Amino acid sequence: MDLNSLATIDLPPTADFHCHLREGAMMELVAPMITTGGCDTVFVMPNLEKPIVSVAQALAYHRELRRLAPNVRFLMSLYLHPDVTTDEIELAARSNIVFGVKLYPAGVTTNSQQGVRDIERYYPVFEAMQRVGLVLNLHGESMSCAPEAATIHDAMHAESNFLPQLFNLHKEFPDLRIVLEHVSTKEGVDAVKQCGPNVRGTITAHHLWGTIEDAESDVFNFCKPIMKTRDDRLALIRAAVDGSSKFFFGSDSAPHPIQSKAEKEPAAAGCFTQPWSTSLVIGAFQRAMSLGWISKDSVSREAIEGFLSHHGRTFYKIAQQQPEQQQEAAAAIKHAGIRLERKGERIPGSIKSLDGKIEVVPFRRGEEVMSLTWLD
């Protein structure tokens, strides 16, 4: 499939299996932009300032998001924390809106101060998750020093340092579905492939586009996990288009006020991609094809649709819905698909709330992207 020769590309709606929608005024700004990026389903991260550690909190957050984006299906998650007990796991499994539990190693990223310091203390929780069928979502970084003392060298090796934990969890809980989130290294790609069918990985748009040089040269490219080397980027691109259901899309779109990125030291970690998520992924594939990293013969429509839409839905068993879930999904899906077209559209320099109090700078600001419309 020669992506660079196509003026128009029609695809099924994208499913984003890792996004940050924040709270308050930031949530009001970014949640309505989910469909702008071509997504009808999103898996929502729980690391708010007060983390989502109960089903009751997840339900309240879900109601707020549905108010702002009624045509989107929101899959909610819990933040792994001492308050997440085996009883809460049982309740989550019956909720029909909580699909996973996110493990944040303490201090590695935004709002992770209350994260995990001793994984083994949560083994009873993992056993309960394995029994009821909830997904364990891993922020796969392990720092070799205190987060405040970490250097670029530490950040470059944080994912590789975490991979023994992935292998051990998969060994201890072979029937537990696990996602290594925002894979950023060739080692991470290889690790997911080495594990059994219950282990998958998500890949972001910004890791398909950038390397450490981009992160160092522009604070708005700084994210966790940090972008790595050219070889790592190449491994991610090839994993995304190889047709394997081992990998699917998770944007890790993470909006921050401009002041938190440009005026704070260290800068807040995260790239904001949500309104252009599908176009950015396709653009990364087009760029890789232009560079000769992948050939038109190695990329199929089925592989692209699988990565952006089908593989994640299958892994999260969205097709195997309870009646309540089917009702919400029917209400959320209003369109048959999306269309990308070359119209000369460029990503704006920033987006602002109506009152001008919140301003966010997008990833790849000023760059051209394919325009997206929804098909009836």
Side-chain angles (χ1 to χ4, degrees):
M1 184 178 186
D2 186 358
L3 291 172
N4 288 313
S5 70
L6 300 177
T8 300
I9 304 172
D10 290 352
L11 296 168
T14 295
D16 180 354
F17 283 91
H18 183 130
C19 75
H20 297 271
L21 298 173
R22 307 307 191 203
E23 53 199 312
M26 182 65 82
M27 175 184 69
E28 298 273 345
L29 175 62
V30 303
M33 297 181 179
I34 293 168
T35 52
T36 308
C39 298
D40 70 352
T41 300
V42 293
F43 183 63
V44 184
M45 293 296 103
N47 59 327
L48 306 184
E49 290 186 11
K50 182 180 179 181
I52 304 294
V53 298
S54 71
V55 174
Q57 286 178 285
L59 286 167
Y61 192 23
H62 182 266
R63 285 192 294 270
E64 284 294 290
L65 293 170
R66 288 278 289 166
R67 174 181 63 83
L68 294 167
N71 292 334
V72 175
R73 184 168 185 205
F74 294 98
L75 313 179
M76 309 307 289
S77 60
L78 300 182
Y79 183 113
L80 190 61
H81 179 275
D83 288 350
V84 179
T85 64
T86 56
D87 288 342
E88 199 68 30
I89 293 300
E90 297 279 355
L91 187 61
R94 297 193 298 270
S95 73
N96 295 324
I97 63 111
V98 176
F99 283 75
V101 178
K102 182 69 181 288
L103 187 161
Y104 289 99
V108 298
T109 193
T110 304
N111 295 336
S112 63
Q113 297 87 344
Q114 299 182 56
V116 172
R117 298 181 186 277
D118 177 9
I119 288 181
E120 291 188 11
R121 74 171 290 180
Y122 292 100
Y123 274 19
V125 174
F126 301 153
E127 180 61 44
M129 292 173 62
Q130 181 173 246
R131 183 174 67 254
V132 302
L134 287 185
V135 174
L136 175 62
N137 306 92
L138 302 176
H139 182 110
E141 291 191 287
S142 180
M143 304 302 284
S144 56
C145 62
E148 60 272 15
T151 66
I152 287 292
H153 175 82
D154 297 312
M156 290 291 286
H157 292 86
E159 183 169 286
S160 299
N161 290 342
F162 183 87
L163 294 178
Q165 296 277 18
L166 168 66
F167 291 130
N168 189 58
L169 285 169
H170 184 43
K171 177 182 177 182
E172 293 291 331
F173 305 97
D175 295 325
L176 177 63
R177 284 179 294 150
I178 298 174
V179 177
L180 182 64
E181 302 286 354
H182 40 54
V183 179
S184 65
T185 62
K186 183 180 184 301
E187 292 93 336
V189 168
D190 292 342
V192 171
K193 290 180 177 179
Q194 289 169 27
C195 292
N198 284 329
V199 175
R200 307 294 170 94
T202 57
I203 298 174
T204 78
H206 51 277
H207 285 103
L208 293 175
W209 268 106
T211 63
I212 182 60
E213 289 79 14
D214 299 297
E216 290 183 312
S217 64
D218 186 344
V219 70
F220 296 104
N221 293 336
F222 174 64
C223 57
K224 292 286 188 75
I226 200 165
M227 299 170 187
K228 304 299 195 306
T229 69
R230 175 189 176 279
D231 289 343
D232 293 314
R233 179 184 170 199
L234 178 57
L236 295 173
I237 289 170
R238 288 177 173 169
V241 300
D242 72 0
S244 165
S245 61
K246 273 286 190 174
F247 299 94
F248 45 86
F249 179 58
S251 71
D252 194 20
S253 179
H256 290 281
I258 189 171
Q259 298 87 348
S260 297
K261 296 288 284 185
E263 301 174 11
K264 185 179 177 182
E265 183 64 39
C271 296
F272 179 55
T273 58
Q274 194 75 60
W276 306 275
S277 54
T278 304
S279 298
L280 283 168
V281 170
I282 296 300
F285 295 159
Q286 291 170 326
R287 177 61 174 159
M289 202 167 282
S290 297
L291 292 171
W293 292 1
I294 53 176
S295 68
K296 62 182 181 180
D297 296 330
S298 68
V299 179
S300 67
R301 173 175 292 277
E302 291 75 18
I304 292 173
E305 292 182 358
F307 177 73
L308 283 171
S309 187
H310 302 319
H311 297 332
R313 298 179 201 269
T314 300
F315 185 71
Y316 277 84
K317 301 184 177 180
I318 293 177
Q320 303 173 25
Q321 299 161 348
Q322 299 301 317
E324 297 90 341
Q325 295 170 310
Q326 292 172 344
Q327 184 177 2
E328 180 182 330
I333 298 172
K334 303 293 185 182
H335 301 277
I338 55 178
R339 173 167 293 167
L340 302 180
E341 299 176 89
R342 299 181 192 275
K343 293 184 175 181
E345 178 182 344
R346 292 187 180 274
I347 297 174
S350 70
I351 61 167
K352 295 181 181 180
S353 58
L354 289 177
D355 62 9
K357 293 181 178 179
I358 301 290
E359 182 177 8
V360 181
V361 175
F363 179 69
R364 288 188 63 77
R365 63 196 183 281
E367 297 294 333
E368 187 171 335
V369 289
M370 297 185 82
S371 299
L372 186 146
T373 54
W374 285 83
L375 303 174
D376 294 328

